[in-house]
């Protein structure tokens, strides 16, 4: 695990862009993408770059159950607004949160991941250590699955909704085993509120109670954090 500490999110996003550029030059074709506030500046850097993704594929980590791509709170809508509208890809895959048969949907998404091995996966980390929507207690062996969101995650995501009651209670998420298939992982974290989770991920024991700690077992992980998120590290 390589840890890069930066002064702020902008500096971290620029380092992330450099890594993407290097991976593309080395032949990377498939990119695993994340949503939420963490990667927004990183996506801005991509949009303002001269990188061409028209022959690349993206596979997103997750999507809320019950929302379709036209809903402004859906992750498909988020990705369109923050990346896809400005940087088109050959193909964009996201889970279908409106699927009538969610069991069938998660199996189909695993097939997509297997058919398009991810060269570079972007991750954030939740305050409780989740990656994707893999909440504490999730088995490291699980692939794509339907997740019951914890109250802490619902509360954290409520800032994007009119009120907390509107936040979906479930999501379809890549599982931890799915994420670990990626050749390279970049995890970004900004702010003091992420410091405890970051410390556990890097310096704590590998435990399902802090899902991100499993990244210690991956061969190629780059952690990009600002000084605030790094503040509890030894």
């Amino acid at each position: 695990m390589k840890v890069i500490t930066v002064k702020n999110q902008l500096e971290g996003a620029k380092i992330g862009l450099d890594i993407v550029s290097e991976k593309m030059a080395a032949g990377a074709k498939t990119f695993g993408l994340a949503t939420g506030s963490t990667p927004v500046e990183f996506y801005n850097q991509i949009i303002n770059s001269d990188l061409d993704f028209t022959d690349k594929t993206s596979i997103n980590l997750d999507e809320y159950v019950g929302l379709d791509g036209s809903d402004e709170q859906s992750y498909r809508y988020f990705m369109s607004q923050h990346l896809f509208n400005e940087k088109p890809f050959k193909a964009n895959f996201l889970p279908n949160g409106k699927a009538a048969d969610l069991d069938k949907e998660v199996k189909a998404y695993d097939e997509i991941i297997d058919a398009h091995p991810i060269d570079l996966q972007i991750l954030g980390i939740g305050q409780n250590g989740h990656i994707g929507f893999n909440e504490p207690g999730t088995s490291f062996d699980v692939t794509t699955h339907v997740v019951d969101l914890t109250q802490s995650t619902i509360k954290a995501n409520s800032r994007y909704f009119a009120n907390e009651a509107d936040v979906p209670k479930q999501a379809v998420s890549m599982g931890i085993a799915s994420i670990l298939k990626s050749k390279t992982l970049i995890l970004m974290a900004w702010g003091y509120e992420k410091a405890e989770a970051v410390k556990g991920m890097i310096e704590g024991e590998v435990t399902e109670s802090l899902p991100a700690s499993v990244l210690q077992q991956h061969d190629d992980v780059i952690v990009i954090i600002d000084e605030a998120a790094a503040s509890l590290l030894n």
Side-chain angles (χ1 to χ4, degrees):
M1 184 180 287
K2 179 180 181 180
V3 180
I4 302 172
T5 303
V6 296
K7 290 185 177 180
N8 53 48
Q9 185 174 165
L10 177 60
E11 183 181 341
K14 290 179 177 179
I15 290 173
L17 175 67
D18 289 342
I19 296 170
V20 170
S21 181
E22 291 168 4
K23 294 297 183 182
M24 289 176 69
K29 292 288 187 182
T30 303
F31 295 85
L33 302 179
T35 53
S37 59
T38 297
V40 169
E41 183 55 45
F42 169 66
Y43 293 148
N44 287 340
Q45 294 298 314
I46 290 178
I47 288 171
N48 292 318
S49 75
D50 59 1
L51 296 178
D52 181 4
F53 290 86
T54 54
D55 65 341
K56 312 301 182 190
T57 298
S58 75
I59 303 179
N60 258 75
L61 278 171
D62 41 35
E63 179 61 280
Y64 285 122
V65 169
L67 303 186
D68 64 28
S70 64
D71 191 301
E72 293 185 5
Q73 303 301 340
S74 73
Y75 287 160
R76 181 176 289 277
Y77 187 92
F78 176 99
M79 292 305 306
S80 296
Q81 294 298 306
H82 289 285
L83 185 62
F84 297 156
N85 288 345
E86 300 295 330
K87 284 289 185 181
F89 285 66
K90 179 176 69 174
N92 302 119
F93 295 105
L94 293 91
N96 178 10
K98 294 282 283 186
D101 186 336
L102 289 174
D103 288 337
K104 184 176 179 180
E105 175 64 16
V106 299
K107 292 176 183 176
Y109 210 65
D110 281 333
E111 292 173 358
I112 288 169
I113 296 167
D114 288 341
H116 303 84
I118 296 171
D119 296 298
L120 179 63
Q121 174 68 57
I122 305 302
L123 296 170
I125 183 171
Q127 294 180 36
N128 63 3
H130 72 238
I131 48 176
F133 271 130
N134 296 289
E135 301 282 17
T138 302
S139 169
F140 290 156
D141 297 326
V142 73
T143 56
T144 306
H145 59 135
V146 178
V147 179
D148 293 323
L149 302 183
T150 64
Q151 188 56 42
S152 65
T153 296
I154 291 170
K155 184 175 180 62
N157 290 358
S158 66
R159 66 188 185 276
Y160 301 114
F161 292 80
N163 57 72
E164 190 172 313
D166 293 335
V167 183
K169 304 302 186 288
Q170 290 184 310
V172 176
S173 179
M174 270 193 212
I176 293 173
S178 310
I179 292 169
L180 293 178
K181 291 179 183 178
S182 306
K183 295 176 185 175
T184 300
L185 303 168
I186 297 178
L187 185 141
M188 301 179 183
W190 323 121
Y192 290 106
E193 66 273 12
K194 300 295 180 71
E196 188 172 347
V198 165
K199 180 177 176 61
M201 173 183 67
I202 295 172
E203 297 179 349
E205 66 173 318
V206 177
T207 171
E208 291 178 354
S209 65
L210 199 147
S213 65
V214 75
L215 301 185
Q216 296 178 32
Q217 298 179 344
H218 193 281
D219 291 336
D220 190 3
V221 179
I222 303 166
V223 177
I224 305 173
I225 48 178
D226 64 7
E227 293 173 350
S231 60
L232 296 180
L233 294 175
N234 292 327

